[in-house]
Amino acid sequence: MAAYEIRRRLQICGANQMARRPDLLRQLEEEGDVIEIVECLDQCTHCENSCFALVSGHFAYAQTPDELLRKLLSR
């Protein structure tokens, strides 16, 4: 995919484990995803217990950042 083609928009809570994995975020950006780290997505219970991202208006969850990356890349 060309770098200028946007595949989808991902919002990730700054407190979530996924936000602290720039290596994984970089992989998603290379696929054309636009990533926005936000202060809070009002999902504190999920944020404390799992990794998640708001993907074009829909939540995606996983137990680990690597598992969430695999889910997001397969969509």
Side-chain angles (χ1 to χ4, degrees):
M1 178 170 290
Y4 59 88
E5 292 181 52
I6 296 174
R7 190 166 80 132
R8 62 194 168 183
R9 180 175 175 226
L10 304 176
Q11 290 181 297
I12 300 172
C13 178
N16 194 263
Q17 296 175 45
M18 191 68 175
R20 296 186 298 271
R21 292 291 306 271
D23 57 320
L24 303 183
L25 299 177
R26 193 173 317 106
Q27 289 181 54
L28 292 166
E29 288 173 334
E30 288 172 358
E31 290 295 315
D33 292 330
V34 173
I35 298 171
E36 178 185 4
I37 305 297
V38 297
E39 186 174 325
C40 183
L41 288 171
D42 198 29
Q43 296 290 313
C44 297
T45 301
H46 293 293
C47 196
E48 292 172 354
N49 299 310
S50 65
C51 295
F52 75 96
L54 184 60
V55 184
S56 299
H58 302 283
F59 282 100
Y61 299 96
Q63 289 302 308
T64 68
D66 293 303
E67 183 183 337
L68 182 57
L69 175 68
R70 284 191 298 277
K71 275 186 170 183
L72 295 173
L73 290 175
S74 69
R75 287 184 171 186

